Amino acid sequence: MDGMRANDTSNAGPDVTSSDDAAGFEVLKNFERFDQRNEMFRRSGWDDRIRSERTRRFRGTYAGQFEGRHEGDGYDLSEYALRNAAWHLSDDLADRRRDEGRREGFCDDLTVEADVAAEKIGFESPEIASDNLKRAARVFGTDLVGVTHVDHRWLYSQKFSDVDLESRRNDVPERMTHVIVLAQAMDYDLIRTVPSALGSAATGVGYSQTTALAVSVARYIRNLGYHSIASVNDAALSIPLAIKAG
């Protein structure tokens, strides 16, 4: 979202040191930004130390290929059916522009089918603007919402494509200065069954809901006359930003 901008520790926006302290962060001098290529799910597509027949079968079950699947409680076909249905919104939107080399929400930002409104709606203060935005996010269904400054330390140094297995620039426009962090609760009883198919169903519901939330909030911001990007796992490390957002 438009606003004040941050870069590294020395140029990361106002109060970056105090906000690090408040978040309990100790950033060492040898800190380097994380390359998405090394994220565990991306690595399973290119790193032979991780990529295997087991990872191929794991990915295949999401496409309805159940030959050689794990057997037992939490793994029968009805439970895989539930899991794949839970993921369908996230997966369908992820692949809608795959023919353009995109995998949205995982390697690329989500398409928002709206231009920025020509008339910008002003607010009396940043606090009022933040309260308005949080109220809208809750209307859309988020469980938690917070706002923090963009801090490039937590953006991926590079993106990585699942489509062509190539690294790409992580170009966040200079005008993007704030991050709105959304969080969704997941079904605790199902999560307790991880790594079963039922456990992944809880995760799938969370991803599908968050995908819809991210696009809705981004669309609302554009309707107000401000620039926005809808992102899930495709641009940054979520946990540091979530902590910073409170």
Side-chain angles (χ1 to χ4, degrees), residues 41-238:
F41 291 106
R42 309 290 77 76
R43 283 182 65 186
S44 69
W46 66 266
D47 190 340
D48 288 337
R49 292 172 296 177
I50 296 175
R51 182 172 56 184
S52 67
E53 180 60 23
R54 291 181 67 185
T55 62
R56 186 197 67 77
R57 289 202 306 269
F58 169 78
R59 290 173 179 265
T61 61
Y62 284 88
Q65 302 165 8
F66 299 116
E67 182 180 355
R69 74 183 192 280
H70 185 86
E71 302 284 352
D73 291 343
Y75 293 95
D76 69 31
L77 288 178
S78 68
E79 289 157 339
Y80 277 108
L82 179 66
R83 184 201 65 180
N84 289 1
W87 277 96
H88 89 278
L89 177 59
S90 174
D91 288 344
D92 287 354
L93 292 181
D95 289 333
R96 61 179 165 172
R97 296 177 62 186
R98 195 179 185 95
D99 60 346
E100 300 173 32
R102 294 174 57 83
R103 187 159 187 257
E104 297 190 3
F106 296 94
C107 307
D108 303 277
D109 58 274
L110 292 158
T111 297
V112 180
E113 303 289 355
D115 294 329
V116 177
E119 182 178 354
K120 181 176 290 187
I121 298 174
F123 294 92
E124 293 180 5
S125 69
E127 291 75 21
I128 292 174
S130 178
D131 288 345
N132 179 282
L133 180 63
K134 291 176 181 179
R135 184 165 55 250
R138 294 188 183 101
V139 168
F140 296 142
T142 193
D143 291 318
L144 297 173
V145 55
V147 181
T148 186
H149 290 93
V150 171
D151 184 335
H152 279 210
R153 293 174 300 175
W154 314 123
L155 302 185
Y156 293 133
S157 60
Q158 296 184 105
K159 292 189 176 188
F160 186 78
S161 172
D162 286 343
V163 180
D164 59 18
L165 302 183
E166 296 290 338
S167 294
R168 301 175 179 174
R169 291 171 57 87
N170 188 10
D171 290 325
V172 177
E174 289 291 324
R175 61 174 173 261
M176 297 297 170
T177 62
H178 288 76
V179 181
I180 298 96
V181 182
L182 309 171
Q184 289 298 102
M186 291 188 285
D187 187 297
Y188 178 70
D189 290 331
L190 288 184
I191 285 293
R192 291 180 65 192
T193 71
V194 167
S196 75
L198 287 177
S200 186
T203 309
V205 170
Y207 268 86
S208 290
Q209 291 176 340
T210 299
T211 297
L213 282 168
V215 172
S216 296
V217 171
R219 176 68 179 261
Y220 176 60
I221 292 169
R222 294 187 184 190
N223 290 350
L224 293 174
Y226 299 86
H227 292 275
S228 65
I229 295 173
S231 175
V232 184
N233 280 359
D234 51 272
L237 299 172
S238 299

Side-chain angles (χ1 to χ4, degrees), residues 14-44:
D15 299 326
V16 65
T17 301
S18 61
S19 65
D20 278 355
D21 292 342
F25 292 173
E26 181 182 0
V27 181
L28 303 180
K29 292 182 178 180
N30 63 349
F31 171 85
E32 295 181 357
R33 287 166 59 190
F34 190 75
D35 189 333
Q36 190 186 19
R37 178 184 180 89
N38 295 320
E39 184 257 294
M40 62 180 179
F41 291 106
R42 309 290 77 76
R43 283 182 65 186
S44 69

